[in-house]
Amino acid sequence: MTLSLTYHLQVVNFLAAMLLLIAFAMLSQRRIVGLVTLFAWQGAALSLSTAIVAWSTDQHHLYYSAALTLILKVIAMPWYFYRLVKKLDVDRDVEPMINIPTTMLIGIALVIFAFNLALPISEMSGTVTRSTLGIAMASVLLAFLMMITRSKAIPQVIGFLAMENGLFFAATSATYGMPLVVELGVALDVLVGVFVLGIFFFQIRETFDSLDLKHMEKLKEK
Amino acid sequence: MTTGILLQIAQTLAAILLAPLLMGWVNQCRAWLQGRSAPPITQPYRTLRKLFHKDAVIAHNASPLFRFAPYMVFACMALAAGLVPTIANDLPFSPAADAIALVGVFALARVFLALAAMDIGTSFGTLGARREMLVAFLAEPALLMVFFTASLISQSTELPTIVETLAHKEFVLYPSMAFAAVAFWMVSTAENARIPVDNPTTHLELTMIHEAMILEYSARHLALIEWAVALKLFTYSALGIALFLPWGIAPQGELNALPLAVLALVAKMAVGGAALSLLEAISAKVRLFRAPEFLGTAFLLGVLGMLIHFLLEV
Amino acid sequence: MNESLLSQMPELVNLAWMGVLCWIGLGFAALFLQKSRGLLSLVFPLGTLVALAMAGLGLAGLLLPASAVVLPIGLPDLPMHLRLDALSGFFLLLLGGAAFGVTLYAWGYFKDLAAGPLALILLWYHLFLAGMSLVLLADDAYAFMVAWEVMALSSYFLVTTDHDQPAIRSAGFLYLLIAHVGAVALLLCYGVLQGGEVANAGAYTFAYMRHAEMTPFWASAAFLLALFGFGAKAGLVPMHVWLPEAHPAAPSPVSALMSGVMLKTAIYGLLRVTFDLLNVQLAWWGTLALTLGLVTALYGVIFAAVQSDMKRLLAWSSIENIGVLLAGFGLTLIFYTDGKGALAALTLTAMLYHALNHAFFKGLLFTGAGSVLHATGERNMDRLGGLMAAMPWTAWLTLMGALAIAGLPPLNGFVSEWLLLQAFLLTPGLSHSYLNMVIPVAAAAVALAAALAAYVMVKFFGVTFLGAARSPAVSHAHEAGWRERLGMLWLAAGCVLLGLFPVQVIDALAPVVRLLTGQTLVNGGNWLMLAPVDAERASYGPLVFFAVVLVTLLLVFLWVRKAYHGRVRRSDPWDCGYPEQDARMQDSAEGFGQPIRLIFSSFMRVERDTPDPFDRQPKYRGDSRDKLWVLLYQPIADLAAWLSEQAGRLQHGRIQWYLIYSFATLIFLLVFVTR
């Protein structure tokens, strides 16, 4: 029972669960705008949990990470994606490759798998938030699953970013975050990556008149 | 014990009498949100009164099952309303039927209604029965999963014990209940024939589910069914309150907490009803064949709730 | 236990085998009584008495200590060992209880049959009952296999009663084939259990096997063989294909016995081998059984939902229930091997309870379907409908069965499901974290199967008995005779009583549970309230529940009548302004199952002929077939056909060649032996 845990840890656990809930919501979301909104919420949960870990363990550099997450993943990137969707005019219902309940069923299997995988590691780890490691791992796997089941370009990028969210959460929960320099570097990489991909979207659409990555199959040599 | 029995009877009667009021409140909120002028909050009572006074019209080939079903449905819903703690946590009847039995009571009512719908042999009746069972076969296990999440936490399937654990013991934030709450919201919209799964105001054959089943009913039979529908909404709201916002329900044997509990209930129901109509107003009705997907998601979220309990709370 | 009491005990098992003998005697007597129609019609009523006696003996065997006897029947030096302990007693009670109702029903059902066919049915029917009860009594592998074969063969002849129809012949063949593949597995299983001790003449007795030492490897081999062999009999996916073919083909009372009782003998065998004969149990067996059981349950219920033939629908539903039983078995094993004796006791109780329940409600549903078939000559629900008016008794009694199997309170199906779900909820605390997490998912699967069962039953009852008649055959329908009604009434009473008195039933089950798991389920409530763990945790009081429902119903009815009025006006149903509505516009059976077919289409091979829009005489045909048949059985059948074709080359027709084959074999064996 959680009775022994302090309140802020309960909140971190709760936010971890939110992260997972949002990951599942992403799996079942058909519209791209909805996906972007969910991504923003996931970023918010991540930023909040990082801030709470920072406060409870008195690690100041985590505050910077939290702020960075807030600015990049809750404000900047979603805003950019909204604009992109509007410009490219791609906000329609997208049928995923596998139907949604089946995807979620696979997702549940992944959660069980991830948790049991994380169990020995989190038992070794002495940090207070160790039980969240399984959830972080599950979020990574779920984001990967989302990338597999979507054929459109923007959902794939969001899936990639959600995966990064999961990794980031794993870092904060298991080891109280990476050194600030590394985090800054990663954040910069992600930011640049997103912009480059945005440019690519325009290119892809100009070439194929669609953002459906199925058309890329034509590029392979016969 | 006697106070318990009195409280039990009082709670059940209050639920039966107040259920149409909640329905009226939801309708009112909905009308406001849609920019219409709202009917008075007592409109459901007037409708019931009108229906009870009319002569019942029954098809020639109706069997006794058809006439029996409304009574059965009403009795089941009254029973269900008596099982959920609303103001006091002291329910002497609850050991006879726990949360799983509550799901059974809902199922019993539903099966009778579906069978009655098939009794006349019109195309609408069977269509409604089929769709209702389609919704039910996913909604029912989803509701069970919600209960299971709560009972894993409280080590009990008795609703009063669940409420006691959640409200009257030390406050703990249960992440699994967040999943359960989302699943519960999805289930309750489906079970109460609300948007996005069904629309209580439609009579369009492409979309209606619940209304298609009761097309053949009139007068007192229809009144009983309408009342049962209101009771079901009330019971589901009470369930939502008991599981996710149980603070305020009077603990066992504390009679002086009762007035506060009544106030808390009224406030929670008012907010809950408004929230329901708001959610209805902002969501779109899904295609019929998206409904299984919607409910399948609810079911799996319920399962996830249980898993999260094992991940984070054990 | 004192000496004098023990010396009296063999009486019970002696009475039991005498009962078996009575059934055999009745069967053969019928064969010789063909001349006298009057005497022939006495056989079934006598059979019901034997069934009742067997149920009584079963109950006595359940409550009294075990008794055993050795009969000098059979091969020299291989006497027949019989034993009646609590486990046999429970299943004998189940057999007797269901057989009483079904035989009563059969008495009326077959009354118009000509003397010749009737005598044959009487023979096989009673041999079938005798075979099943002997399976339960057998205490050595030899007696068990003989009884098992008697059961399989007599039921084969019953299935092929209407052997002039090719479809029924092929159904019978499939049944016989799979029954024998299963029997071979069982034979091997007993071989493993006795440890290959050829020299020891006593090694074939169960008493020897109980004490044989087993390595985990050989124990697992024995368990897997038993699971395969008994699974083939029980209709475990993927060995289930014979069940939806054979059960509908048999006359309805026989279907009732096959579904209600015969499938349980397989469950009995599985329990006997796993918990009684084997000394070692491993956790992964439980996981395997749980998984297979859940797959079977879901598979069965999904296919039940898309059937149009009512008996086939019921057969698929039997597969579902077997799946639930097997899941319960698996869970029991998991708890048992994890050292959670109390939980194992709870799960086993739930499972045995469900077995008993299924015997009653499935018997009731098959007999109800039999009455419909008898009255209309129609098994296809697409041509039935509106039978409630013509046959109200059958309809209301069948409704009881349908509500019970759908797991609705306060009937019996709900109690066993409730107990099983409680067991699932108690899992936290298992030593394997994987299992801890997989089991809630299993609970979800059980809940899903139960909810789908309600769908299936609404379809079955609604399409068959409610609505308007879909074909002229239905208009000549007549109510079932009094004997049939009495038989169904017995089964329905079983459903109600088992539902209302769970505490008493569970007390009666305690000896079996103690025998197998070493512990019993302690009821934390009183005689009214069932509380499997303790009253704080969960309790259920069906009598109180039922009383409250009744009182509420009565109050509401009286209040509506007193406060208002009871005026009724009859008219035509509302036609939405389209007057050309007719009975064909109701949902057909296939239409009702269409959503399920659409959702679960990946498990099925759907064959449909949809008519052209301009077709003047449109014909629609739709069939949802089992995909496993194509994926698994067709290749096996093809392989067998190919192999036999190859073997056919050996056939020359000249006797010299055959002698050469024998000679070569002899030489080979001689070389093999002398090495």
Side-chain angles (χ1 to χ4, degrees), chain B residues 48-49 51-65 67-68 71-72 74-76 78-79 83 92-98 100-105 107-108 110-112 114-116 118-124 126-127 129-130 133-134 136-138 140-141 144-145 147-149 151-152 155-158 161 164 215-216 219-221 224 227 289 292 299 303 306-307 309-311 314, chain C residues 388-389 396 399 403 406-410 414 418 421-422 424-429 436-438 440-441 443-445 447-448 450-452 454-455 457-459 461-463 465-468 470 529-530 535-542 544-545 548-549 552-553 556-557 559-561 563-576 581-583 585-587 591-596 598-600:
Chain B
L48 288 179
R49 189 166 161 273
L51 286 174
F52 272 120
H53 280 289
K54 286 197 166 189
D55 282 10
V57 183
I58 288 178
H60 290 297
N61 61 343
S63 72
L65 185 78
R67 296 177 66 172
F68 173 66
Y71 294 97
M72 191 68 197
F74 185 82
C76 283
L79 189 66
L83 285 173
F93 177 57
S94 76
D98 63 350
I100 303 178
L102 182 65
V103 176
V105 175
L108 189 63
R110 174 166 44 238
V111 165
F112 266 94
L115 287 178
M118 294 179 84
D119 187 51
I120 306 296
T122 62
S123 43
F124 274 117
T126 44
L127 173 149
R130 161 163 43 91
M133 294 315 288
L134 169 68
F137 96 83
L138 281 165
E140 198 182 301
L144 260 182
M145 292 308 111
F147 285 144
F148 280 7
T149 308
S151 30
L152 281 174
Q155 307 277 310
S156 168
T157 53
E158 302 282 333
T161 318
E164 197 189 311
L215 268 183
E216 280 298 320
R220 58 176 182 276
H221 301 127
L224 281 173
W227 203 337
F289 267 93
F299 177 48
V303 175
M306 287 201 288
L307 285 180
H309 171 76
F310 286 111
L311 291 181
V314 175
Chain C
M388 200 164 201
W396 283 103
L399 179 62
L403 294 180
L408 297 177
F414 180 75
W418 186 82
L421 288 176
Q422 290 295 345
F424 276 115
L425 281 180
L426 285 163
T427 28
N436 254 340
M437 297 179 64
V438 169
V441 181
L448 187 62
L452 268 168
Y455 189 103
M457 283 304 133
V458 167
K459 166 177 168 168
F461 187 81
V463 176
F465 290 99
L466 301 175
R470 290 181 181 77
M529 293 289 175
L530 176 64
E536 270 291 284
R537 170 133 206 156
S539 66
Y540 170 59
V544 180
F545 183 95
V548 172
V549 172
T552 322
L553 262 177
V556 173
F557 183 76
W559 167 71
V560 169
R561 280 298 162 95
Y564 300 98
H565 57 88
R567 288 195 298 272
V568 164
R569 197 148 52 79
R570 293 275 179 172
S571 88
D572 286 333
W574 185 56
D575 57 11
C576 316
Q581 294 235 1
D582 67 13
M585 291 182 189
Q586 304 170 83
D587 267 26
F592 205 91
Q594 182 248 12
I596 303 291
L598 224 61
I599 296 171
F600 297 102

Side-chain angles (χ1 to χ4, degrees), chain C residues 432-447:
Chain C
H432 302 273
S433 65
Y434 253 114
L435 278 181
N436 254 340
M437 297 179 64
V438 169
I439 283 172
V441 181
V446 169

Side-chain angles (χ1 to χ4, degrees), chain C residues 329-344:
Chain C
F329 169 77
L331 200 58
T332 311
L333 255 177
I334 290 175
F335 284 136
Y336 186 70
T337 49
D338 206 58
K340 305 265 187 301
L343 292 186

Side-chain angles (χ1 to χ4, degrees), chain B residues 259-282:
Chain B
L260 196 68
V262 173
L263 277 181
L265 181 76
V266 171
K268 283 188 272 189
M269 283 276 180
V271 174
L276 174 70
S277 44
L278 181 68
L279 281 172
E280 253 194 314
I282 59 170

Side-chain angles (χ1 to χ4, degrees), chain C residues 209-493:
Chain C
M209 293 174 192
R210 272 184 201 111
H211 301 291
E213 285 299 318
M214 282 262 159
T215 59
F217 175 78
W218 285 111
S220 298
F223 174 78
L224 287 179
L225 283 168
L227 190 65
F228 181 81
F230 290 120
K233 193 64 164 184
L236 193 62
V237 170
M239 283 95 79
H240 64 285
V241 284
W242 63 274
L243 212 151
E245 306 295 326
H247 284 218
S252 299
V254 178
S255 318
L257 278 187
M258 284 174 75
S259 262
V261 185
M262 189 182 78
L263 301 184
K264 307 304 171 342
T265 60
I267 299 292
Y268 161 80
L270 209 50
L271 286 173
R272 175 67 79 195
V273 168
T274 315
F275 284 103
D276 191 18
L277 300 186
L278 280 169
N279 289 323
V280 203
Q281 286 88 14
L282 301 177
W284 66 266
W285 303 354
T287 321
L288 178 70
L290 180 66
T291 318
L292 278 178
L294 292 174
V295 169
T296 305
L298 286 174
Y299 207 82
V301 76
I302 288 167
F303 274 90
V306 296
Q307 302 302 317
S308 299
D309 179 324
M310 54 178 177
K311 286 180 75 176
R312 200 179 273 259
L313 178 145
L314 293 177
W316 276 107
S317 143
S318 289
I319 296 181
E320 181 227 335
N321 280 284
I322 284 295
V324 172
L325 286 177
L326 203 80
F329 169 77
L331 200 58
T332 311
L333 255 177
I334 290 175
F335 284 136
Y336 186 70
T337 49
D338 206 58
K340 305 265 187 301
L343 292 186
L346 168 62
T347 327
L348 188 65
T349 310
M351 177 210 169
L352 293 174
Y353 207 137
H354 196 71
L356 193 59
N357 289 341
H358 184 244
F360 278 89
F361 50 59
K362 194 44 73 64
L364 179 56
L365 288 173
F366 263 118
T367 49
S371 292
V372 171
L373 181 59
H374 203 272
T376 62
E378 194 58 71
R379 258 170 39 187
N380 189 343
M381 290 193 286
D382 284 341
R383 289 198 281 274
L384 291 169
L387 284 170
M388 200 164 201
M391 26 200 335
W393 275 89
T394 311
W396 283 103
L397 289 174
T398 310
L399 179 62
M400 280 297 196
L403 294 180
I405 200 170
L408 297 177
L411 296 170
N412 60 350
F414 180 75
V415 182
S416 43
E417 232 154 59
W418 186 82
L419 281 172
L420 195 61
L421 288 176
Q422 290 295 345
F424 276 115
L425 281 180
L426 285 163
T427 28
L430 279 180
S431 44
H432 302 273
S433 65
Y434 253 114
L435 278 181
N436 254 340
M437 297 179 64
V438 169
I439 283 172
V441 181
V446 169
L448 187 62
L452 268 168
Y455 189 103
V456 172
M457 283 304 133
V458 167
K459 166 177 168 168
F460 167 70
F461 187 81
V463 176
T464 310
F465 290 99
L466 301 175
R470 290 181 181 77
S471 78
V474 180
S475 45
H476 311 301
H478 56 84
E479 180 57 284
W482 64 271
R483 304 176 189 92
E484 284 105 311
R485 277 186 263 164
L486 217 55
M488 285 194 272
L489 203 59
W490 165 264
L491 295 169

